Amino acid sequence: MTGTYRVRRGDVAESRNAVHFTFDGKSYQGLAGDTLASALIANGVHLVGRSFKYHRPRGFVSAGSEEPNALVGVGATQSRYTPNLLATQVEIYDGLVAESQNRWPSLETDAGFLNEYFSAFLPAGFYYKTFMWPRTAWKKLYEPVIRRMAGLGKAPAEPDADRYTQVFAHCDVLIVGAGPAGLAAALEASNSDATVILCDEQAEMGGSLLSDRSASIDGMQAADWARAALDELRKRPNVKLMSRTTAFGWYPHNFVGLNERVTDHLSNPATNQPRERLWQVRAKEVVLAAGAIERPLVFTDNDRPGIMLAGAARTYVNRYGVVPGKQVVVFTACDSAYRAALDLKAAGARIQVIVDLRKSVSGYWVDKARAEGIKVRSDSIVRGTSGWLRVKSAQISNAQGGDAETVACDLILMSGGFTPSVHLFSQSRGKLSYSEELRAYVPGESVERERSVGACKGLFALESVIESGAKGGRDAAAKAGFPPHGERSYAVSAQSVGADAFIGSVMTDHQAEKRAWVDFQNDVTAKDVRLATREGFRSIEHVKRYTTTGMATDQGKLSNMNALGVVSKQIDVAVPKVGLTTFRPPYTPTTFGSFAGQSRGDLFDPVRKTSIHAWAEAQGARFEDVGVWKRAWYFPQVGEDMHAAVARECKATRESVGIFDASTLGKIEIVGKDAAEFMNRMYTNAWTKLEPGRLRYGVMLREDGFIMDDGVVGRMATDRFHVTTTTGGAARVLSMMEDYLQTEWPDLEVWLTSTTEQWSVIALQGPNARKVLEPLVDGIDLSADAMPHMSVREGRICGVPTRLFRVSFTGELGFEVNVPAGYGRAVWEAIFAAGKPYGITPYGTETMHVLRAEKGYIIVGQETDGTVTPDDAGLGWAVGKAKRDFVGKRSLSRPALVREDRKQLVGLLTTDPKVVLEEGAQIVLDPTHPIPVPMIGHITSSYWSATLNRSIALALVRGGRSRMGEELSIPMPDGVIKAKVVDSILFDPKGERLNA
Amino acid sequence: MLLINCPYCGPRPEAEFANGGQAHIARPADPMSLTDDEWAAYLYMRDNTKGLHHERWRHANGCGRFFNASRDTTTDVIKRTYRMGERPEAEHQGAKP
C-alpha cells in the first residue's frame, strides 16, 4: 500500500520501487523518486508543521524550494541530523527518519497554539513594544520564555559526522536552471567549443516540463523532450550537468557559488563521498534560467493545511503521481490555475468550483474548464475557510462582499500569478524594473556578463521561454568567444496561460485581515503590514524589519510581492515607489558545513611550528598561540603549576643560564646599495654610522607617528641588514616596507627578503651564557672586549654557519644564535648539553615576558596599542633628531602628539607587594569621585617577579613621568588597589649585568 | 570575489590580493615643510567616490607587486589595471596629479 492518494503519473505505465521511511516516528511507504512531501501527501498527510509565532497547524504550500511551512528535521542520529530542511526538497530513501518541528508535545496537540488566543496581544513589533518594562524582567522572565518559544528546528547535539569539500571551477558558460529555457540555452551554447555547466537545484532536471502534460515540443510530450535533451547534452564532452545543485549566490565578476548535495538522497552513501560540495565557479558568461515562483493569494485563513499553490498541486499530480485532495476549490487571478484544475480532474479529483478574482474571464483554458463541466465564478473571492488540522470548506462571495456560500473541500488551490526569480540577477547588481502587467519585478539593465532567459525574465508562454533560452545560450557562447556552429528550431505546441496577476490582499473587509497571511513562516498578516504603515513606516525595508515579513528562511519568496501590494494600496503609492527589499545570498539556506569545507578541527587554521617545537613538546612544555605560531609558554616540572614553573625559570636565568626559542621573531634581509638610506627612512633611528658588526634597537612608526613595530637590527655589511620584527608583525612590516619601496622610492636600489623561516634563533641568557657557548663556537671571540653588548659576528657553531648576536631581552648577558632552520634542533640540543653543568634551564614566553618587564622593555601590542608614540613609551632616545625625514617624523610634531599630559610609560609598584594587578585595569586619581570616574591610564603588563620577590607592573599614565612617587588608585570589583609610580626599569637600572 | 588583472601575472582571484587604499596620493617630498593641516590632509583625507575610483592593490600572495586599478565603486567592475608610475586614463575624472 503506497498511499490512498496515489495516482498514475503521466501517461507512462511504470514501476517505481517502494521506499520505507518514518515521519514523527510513524512508518510510511513512498515510491522511488518521491520527495518527503509527495510521499506524505500520497498517504493523506498534510499537517507537517506549526507556524513560528501562533503555532497554527500548517501544511504544504508548494512543491519546491520556496516552501515556507514544511520544515522538517532529518537524520537518524544527532551527528547526521539537519534541521529546517524542506520536505518539498528532501528525497526519500529506505530508512529516512524525519520529524516535524516547532511543536510540543505533538504536531496534532501543540500547546503553543495558545498563542493563537493571545494573538491580539502579539501584533507586529510586539517585541519592541511589550518587553521594555520592567527592565529587570527581561533576563529572568521574558528572555527565557521567548527563547523557548522562538526558533524553528533544533540544532544537532553532536558534531557533524559528514565531510564537505570545496571545488574551484572555470567555464565559458554557466547556465542556472534546467527548465525549458535552461535546457534550450544549454543545447545552443554547447553547440560550440564553449565549456558549459548546467546546474539545477532539483534531483531531476527539466523544471516545469516535468509537470506539463498538455504541451509538446518537437512532437514529444514536454517531459519526454526534456529527457531527450538531457540525453543529448550528456553525450557532449563540453557539458557538465549538475543536478541537486543550487546556485545560491552571485559574487562580483561572474563568480557564482553552487552547493551540490551529493549524498543526502542515498540510503548507504559510499564512505569516500562528501555530503556536499561547494563549487566556486568563475564563468565567462552566465545564463540565468531560474524560472518563476507562483504567488499565493492573501485571504482570511489562507494558511490551513490543504491550501496550496495551484502549480504545486499540478506538480504533485503530474510529476509525482499523487493527488493532494479529492474535493477541490480553486481560487485564482490567472489562467494557469485552470490548467492545474484540469490536470487534477483528469487524475480523479472533483473540482467544486473555480473562483476567479477577475471581472470577466475567457480564453482557451477557461473554455476548456467550462466544457468539462467545471463551475467558474468570476469577480469572486474565497473570503474565509474552515478546518483546524485540514481545510474543510471555503466561504465564497462576490469580490465586493455580500453573502457567502460555503463549499466543502479538502484542498484549496490558489494562484496570484508568477513572480520571476530575479534573485541572482539582483545580487549581480542588475537593475530591476517593475512590470505593471505581471505585477512583478523583472530584470532590466545588466551589470555583469549575464542574461536572464525564460520565466525569470517574465516570459511565461512556453514557446517564447524556449526561444529566449536558445537565444541566450547562443549569445553567451558567442560572447565567451565560441560562436555556435548553428541554430536549431523548436516546434512548440502549447496553449498560453497568459500573464494575469494580482498582488496584495483580496479582502475588502480589513477587520477580517488579521488572519489573512502574507508571510506564512513568520506569521505576518495583511493586518500586521497595514499596522506598520499606520505607525508611520513607508519604505518596504522598514516595514519588513518591523513586521518581519520576508525575513524567514524562505526570504519572502512567496510573500514579498504581496507585502508590497498591501503597502502600496494602503498608502496609495505606486509599487516601484514603495521600493523593494534587497536580494541577498544565499538563495536557499546553505549548510555551514559547505562553507567550512575541510577547515575544521586540526585543519581549521594553519599552524606554524619552529624546528625546536618537538623538543619542547617532549619536555612537556605548555604552548600558547601567537598569531598562528605555537610558542612554548612554560616548561612545568612534575607538580609545578605555571606560577612555580615561571618563578624557577626566571631564577635560573638570572642566576646561571636559560635557553629560549626565539625562532618565531620576524626576520627580513635588507640588501642593496641604498639599504642604509632605506633603513633611515623606515626607522626612527639613524643607521648611516652603524658599523658592520654592530646591532641597534630599531623603532618603526606608521606615518601617523605611532609605534608600529620594533626589533633588533644587525648590520652585516655596508649594504646588508639583518632586521628582526615582532612575531606577529613580520608580514605587516614587510608589506609596509614593500609599499614605500615600490610606490614612493622606486629609485632606491634595495631588495627585501623575508627570512623568518630560514633562521632558527636560540636565545641563551644569563651570567653563564658565554661559558656555555664558548666551547661550541669557531672563529668568533666571545669576550666582552671583542664582542660587546649589541654586536653581531659571523662564524660557526657546532660546525654550522651562524650569525651570532650579542643581545639581551632579559637584562642579562645574552646571545641569540641564528642558525639555518634545518640545524636548529641539533644546535639547540648541543647547547643544551653543553649547558648541563650550569643547570641550563629552558624557559618559555611567560618567563621572557617577566624578565623583560623587570627591565622595562616594551612589547609592541602590549605596551602599545596604535596610539603610543616613541616618547610615550620612553623611547625618545631612539628617534634620530637630526634626520631630515623618516616615516612618521612629521606627525611627531602635530599638536596632539606633543601635549604634556599624554599617557606615558611608567612602572607601578602596589603598596601591598603580594597583590598582582590585572592587565587592562583602569587607573584613577580619586576612586571616591562620583561615576563616571575620570580615568588617567591603564595597566599594560603585570607579573609576579620572583627576582624582586614582589609584584611589578608597567602602565600608561597621563603625564606619568612627572608623577614619580605619586600614589594612584586602581578600583577593582572587590576594592581599590593602591600603587606608586616608579621608573619603568625595575631591575639593574645601570645595565651592569647586560654588559658583563 | 573580484577577478583582478595583475599587470605582472594576469587575472587572479581577489583572495591573492590586498587592497592598498586610494591611488595617486604621493608622499610629500618634504613633510617637515608642511603645515599641520596640510599634513593631516595627506594622512587622513581620502575621496569617498561613487563611481570610478583609482586604488592600489598588492598581489600579496603572488608576485608581491603593487599596482593600480580603476574600479567602479557602484558595480565593482574594474575598468583597467596599470603599473605604479603610470597615469590613469585621461578621461577618468577624479584622478589627482
Side-chain angles (χ1 to χ4, degrees):
Chain A
M1 169 79 176
T2 64
T4 49
Y5 291 84
R6 189 65 71 176
V7 293
R8 210 161 55 123
R9 156 167 102 153
D11 292 331
V12 215
E14 52 174 357
S15 65
R16 294 160 71 189
N17 291 332
V19 174
H20 299 87
F21 66 97
T22 68
F23 177 66
D24 279 347
K26 201 171 154 193
S27 296
Y28 293 96
Q29 186 177 315
L31 295 178
D34 270 337
T35 62
L36 181 57
S38 68
L40 286 172
I41 290 172
N43 287 282
V45 177
H46 276 253
L47 173 66
V48 280
R50 290 276 178 163
S51 72
F52 181 63
K53 195 158 124 187
Y54 303 123
H55 287 242
R56 304 243 313 172
R58 291 284 167 78
F60 307 100
V61 172
S62 77
S65 64
E66 69 273 33
E67 176 60 35
N69 287 343
L71 270 61
V72 293
V74 174
T77 61
Q78 283 295 303
S79 63
R80 291 207 152 84
Y81 182 88
T82 310
N84 297 331
L85 290 176
L86 300 178
T88 51
Q89 285 191 302
V90 171
E91 296 172 58
I92 57 165
Y93 52 82
D94 264 320
L96 173 87
V97 176
E99 62 177 10
S100 60
Q101 305 182 153
N102 206 28
R103 80 292 189 258
W104 184 87
S106 78
L107 195 51
E108 286 76 17
T109 55
D110 171 35
F113 77 87
L114 288 172
N115 281 358
E116 168 82 0
Y117 296 105
F118 300 111
S119 64
F121 306 104
L122 300 172
F126 80 101
Y127 286 103
Y128 313 119
K129 290 167 179 160
T130 314
F131 302 110
M132 299 304 290
W133 185 91
R135 268 175 75 177
T136 47
W138 174 256
K139 255 204 141 50
K140 291 199 174 105
L141 180 61
Y142 299 141
E143 191 183 358
V145 170
I146 290 171
R147 284 202 184 280
R148 202 174 319 129
M149 300 292 289
L152 291 163
K154 283 196 214 91
E158 283 170 28
D160 195 334
D162 280 306
R163 197 164 61 81
Y164 300 79
T165 60
Q166 299 184 338
V167 187
F168 288 91
H170 295 259
C171 66
D172 298 312
V173 179
L174 168 68
I175 300 162
V176 177
L183 287 175
L187 287 169
E188 299 290 327
S190 62
N191 185 23
S192 75
D193 295 327
T195 54
V196 175
I197 295 177
L198 173 63
C199 70
D200 192 280
E201 66 179 352
Q202 300 200 27
E204 187 177 3
M205 290 186 162
S208 63
L209 296 175
L210 302 177
S211 307
D212 199 330
R213 291 184 60 192
S214 49
S216 71
I217 307 166
D218 297 343
M220 282 179 268
Q221 221 192 40
D224 294 334
W225 181 86
R227 288 174 189 124
L230 286 161
D231 283 341
E232 189 175 339
L233 290 169
R234 222 167 268 126
K235 285 185 199 130
R236 297 187 181 173
N238 56 334
V239 179
K240 182 173 176 61
L241 298 178
M242 299 179 71
S243 60
R244 301 187 177 92
T245 302
T246 305
F248 62 81
W250 184 293
Y251 304 90
H253 299 182
N254 280 31
F255 193 70
V256 182
L258 312 182
N259 174 254
E260 181 189 12
R261 293 169 293 282
V262 183
T263 62
D264 270 6
H265 62 292
L266 301 173
S267 265
N268 289 302
T271 49
N272 63 350
Q273 289 281 74
R275 181 183 176 210
E276 293 178 7
R277 289 192 192 99
L278 177 75
W279 290 78
Q280 300 174 70
V281 180
R282 183 81 69 177
K284 279 194 190 137
E285 297 288 335
V286 177
V287 179
L288 297 174
I293 293 171
E294 197 167 18
R295 271 200 298 276
L297 289 168
V298 178
F299 56 97
T300 294
D301 288 329
N302 61 342
D303 67 327
R304 300 194 190 282
I307 303 180
M308 67 168 61
L309 294 164
R314 184 165 169 255
T315 292
Y316 285 122
V317 169
N318 292 347
R319 179 168 166 188
Y320 296 106
V322 294
V323 59
K326 294 179 174 171
Q327 265 191 318
V328 186
V329 167
V330 179
F331 183 21
T332 184
C334 58
D335 284 2
S336 63
Y338 288 76
R339 188 174 59 183
L342 286 161
D343 284 349
L344 261 73
K345 182 168 183 290
R350 178 182 159 74
I351 310 300
Q352 304 280 62
V353 58
I354 296 179
V355 181
D356 201 317
L357 258 172
R358 295 172 293 183
K359 287 215 161 35
S360 66
V361 291
S362 60
Y364 173 85
W365 292 104
V366 178
D367 294 345
K368 185 153 194 233
R370 283 187 169 131
E372 295 213 12
I374 297 174
K375 186 178 161 197
V376 176
R377 232 186 116 155
S378 62
D379 197 20
S380 299
I381 60 169
V382 171
R383 73 176 198 203
T385 67
S386 73
W388 181 236
L389 300 180
R390 177 79 186 260
V391 66
K392 283 190 181 133
S393 71
Q395 286 97 52
I396 299 162
S397 74
N398 290 333
Q400 284 68 39
D403 292 341
E405 165 197 6
T406 298
V407 177
C409 60
D410 61 357
L411 179 69
I412 297 178
L413 303 188
M414 55 183 170
S415 178
F418 288 82
T419 308
S421 291
V422 295
H423 303 71
L424 288 177
F425 171 79
S426 179
Q427 286 173 28
S428 80
R429 304 195 196 183
K431 299 269 183 303
L432 293 167
S433 63
Y434 184 69
S435 160
E436 200 62 52
E437 187 202 359
L438 304 178
R439 300 273 198 280
Y441 284 93
V442 293
E445 199 184 321
S446 291
V447 167
E448 299 256 22
R449 297 173 65 128
E450 51 74 31
R451 73 278 300 134
S452 296
V453 298
C456 74
K457 193 186 185 183
L459 301 170
F460 299 134
L462 187 57
E463 197 167 354
S464 50
V465 164
I466 288 188
E467 186 191 307
S468 95
K471 186 167 166 290
R474 285 193 299 271
D475 177 58
K479 292 240 167 68
F482 303 96
H485 304 311
E487 254 179 59
R488 58 193 277 175
S489 60
Y490 304 84
V492 178
S493 166
Q495 291 293 335
S496 169
V497 289
D500 288 344
F502 182 86
I503 59 170
S505 163
V506 306
M507 304 300 290
T508 47
D509 173 8
H510 286 334
Q511 277 313 307
E513 283 186 337
K514 77 172 186 180
R515 287 208 184 88
W517 263 264
V518 170
D519 186 311
F520 294 111
Q521 196 182 112
N522 267 0
D523 268 345
V524 179
T525 67
K527 188 185 172 206
D528 290 328
V529 175
R530 284 193 302 103
L531 175 68
T533 63
R534 277 212 314 277
E535 295 190 355
F537 296 94
R538 286 293 180 272
S539 157
I540 194 66
E541 292 279 7
H542 295 153
V543 172
K544 169 182 168 174
R545 280 157 185 81
Y546 190 62
T547 62
T548 73
T549 186
M551 288 172 68
T553 60
D554 60 334
Q555 289 285 289
K557 288 185 179 67
L558 299 179
S559 61
N560 279 350
M561 288 314 297
N562 281 330
L564 264 178
V566 172
V567 173
S568 163
K569 192 173 171 198
Q570 176 72 15
I571 63 176
D572 197 20
V573 168
V575 169
K577 291 241 155 56
V578 179
L580 180 65
T581 55
T582 309
F583 293 92
R584 291 194 176 85
Y587 176 69
T588 49
T590 306
T591 62
F592 284 115
S594 177
F595 289 111
Q598 307 278 25
S599 300
R600 52 190 285 201
D602 287 344
L603 300 180
F604 177 67
D605 215 13
V607 172
R608 296 176 86 180
K609 295 175 179 174
T610 72
S611 60
I612 297 150
H613 182 93
W615 185 91
E617 214 165 31
Q619 298 288 314
R622 300 288 152 79
F623 291 86
E624 69 168 335
D625 293 334
V626 180
V628 289
W629 283 106
K630 295 281 175 201
R631 297 199 74 177
W633 190 13
Y634 59 98
F635 290 80
Q637 292 185 348
V638 178
E640 276 186 341
D641 60 6
M642 177 165 152
H643 182 84
V646 170
R648 174 182 50 75
E649 292 170 16
C650 287
K651 188 164 183 284
T653 306
R654 290 263 183 252
E655 289 179 0
S656 180
V657 63
I659 184 167
F660 174 69
D661 181 4
S663 304
T664 64
L665 280 182
K667 293 169 278 287
I668 302 168
E669 192 89 343
I670 297 187
V671 185
K673 176 166 78 66
D674 299 317
E677 174 59 20
F678 181 71
M679 289 296 294
N680 277 336
R681 296 186 194 183
M682 291 307 304
Y683 281 82
T684 62
N685 321 65
W687 301 93
T688 315
K689 289 181 185 159
L690 184 72
E691 288 166 16
R694 298 294 300 181
L695 302 174
R696 180 161 288 168
Y697 170 72
V699 178
M700 174 183 265
L701 308 181
R702 298 189 313 225
E703 201 68 273
D704 61 12
F706 299 122
I707 294 174
M708 163 153 163
D709 205 82
D710 68 350
V712 169
V713 176
R715 190 162 199 179
M716 309 310 299
T718 51
D719 62 350
R720 183 177 292 266
F721 290 85
H722 178 124
V723 171
T724 68
T725 73
T726 59
T727 294
R732 205 161 46 231
V733 169
L734 180 62
S735 182
M736 184 164 121
M737 287 179 170
E738 284 286 356
D739 192 343
Y740 280 93
L741 187 58
Q742 291 182 33
T743 71
E744 298 292 350
W745 312 313
D747 52 309
L748 293 186
E749 262 187 45
V750 177
W751 288 267
L752 310 173
T753 308
S754 166
T755 54
T756 302
E757 305 216 321
Q758 276 60 45
W759 295 108
S760 278
V761 186
I762 304 161
L764 203 62
Q765 303 279 315
N768 288 321
R770 184 184 286 122
K771 289 183 202 152
V772 175
L773 271 188
E774 249 163 355
L776 304 175
V777 172
D778 275 333
I780 306 174
D781 182 352
L782 295 185
S783 69
D785 290 340
M787 191 175 178
H789 180 53
M790 296 305 269
S791 58
V792 54
R793 298 289 179 268
E794 286 184 279
R796 288 187 170 263
I797 182 164
C798 310
V800 172
T802 181
R803 285 181 179 174
L804 186 60
F805 284 28
R806 181 168 170 194
V807 68
S808 173
F809 198 43
T810 59
E812 299 299 326
L813 164 67
F815 296 90
E816 285 184 3
V817 181
N818 292 271
V819 291
Y823 297 117
R825 169 94 186 253
V827 173
W828 172 282
E829 288 188 39
I831 296 174
F832 191 72
K836 278 271 163 69
Y838 303 96
I840 190 168
T841 301
Y843 65 91
T845 50
E846 189 65 21
T847 291
M848 177 268 281
H849 274 105
V850 176
L851 297 176
R852 65 90 204 173
E854 290 169 351
K855 286 289 294 175
Y857 296 147
I858 68 158
I859 287 190
V860 170
Q862 186 155 344
E863 270 63 53
T864 73
D865 59 4
T867 66
V868 175
T869 68
D871 185 66
D872 297 343
L875 299 174
W877 56 268
V879 177
K881 305 281 185 303
K883 288 206 296 180
R884 191 184 67 88
D885 190 16
F886 55 80
V887 172
K889 178 178 167 76
R890 175 64 185 83
S891 291
L892 293 179
S893 55
R894 298 186 70 215
L897 273 63
V898 295
R899 285 169 60 138
E900 288 189 353
D901 63 346
R902 287 189 63 80
K903 287 185 187 175
Q904 294 165 335
L905 187 72
V906 293
L908 274 189
L909 293 178
T910 49
T911 310
D912 178 352
K914 296 269 178 286
V915 173
V916 181
L917 289 163
E918 203 163 307
E919 290 176 356
Q922 296 293 322
I923 301 165
V924 304
L925 286 174
D926 174 13
T928 64
H929 190 288
I931 292 171
V933 189
M935 292 173 285
I936 62 160
H938 64 275
I939 313 294
T940 60
S941 291
S942 178
Y943 308 95
W944 175 258
S945 165
T947 312
L948 302 171
N949 194 31
R950 59 153 302 133
S951 68
I952 59 167
L954 296 173
L956 284 167
V957 177
R958 240 171 237 304
R961 288 199 291 269
S962 60
R963 293 184 191 272
M964 288 299 150
E966 208 173 303
E967 192 183 66
L968 303 177
S969 297
I970 298 98
M972 298 300 288
D974 47 2
V976 174
I977 301 169
K978 299 281 186 189
K980 196 171 71 173
V981 178
V982 296
D983 189 85
S984 59
I985 305 174
L986 298 159
F987 178 70
D988 187 25
K990 289 184 185 151
E992 285 158 354
R993 304 174 70 88
L994 150 120
N995 288 308
Chain B
M1 191 184 295
L2 303 179
L3 187 66
I4 300 173
N5 188 26
C6 171
Y8 304 94
C9 305
R12 296 287 189 277
E14 183 186 346
E16 293 186 13
F17 297 85
N19 187 282
Q22 189 176 345
H24 305 296
I25 297 175
R27 188 173 188 271
D30 183 9
M32 298 310 285
S33 67
L34 267 53
T35 65
D36 284 337
D37 284 349
E38 286 167 341
W39 181 248
Y42 162 71
L43 273 186
Y44 298 118
M45 303 311 281
R46 297 292 182 271
D47 295 337
N48 186 16
T49 310
K50 183 178 183 182
L52 199 69
H53 176 64
H54 308 293
E55 63 192 2
R56 306 171 343 132
W57 286 87
R58 181 176 182 226
H59 196 184
N61 297 312
C63 66
R65 303 291 292 267
F66 279 85
F67 59 91
N68 295 321
S70 301
R71 179 176 62 93
D72 188 322
T73 58
T74 62
T75 61
D76 270 338
V77 171
I78 296 176
K79 297 262 198 260
R80 180 175 169 248
T81 56
Y82 52 101
R83 297 180 182 209
M84 280 294 153
E86 292 177 8
R87 302 294 313 147
E89 278 172 25
E91 73 265 25
H92 296 162
Q93 296 305 305
K96 287 180 180 167

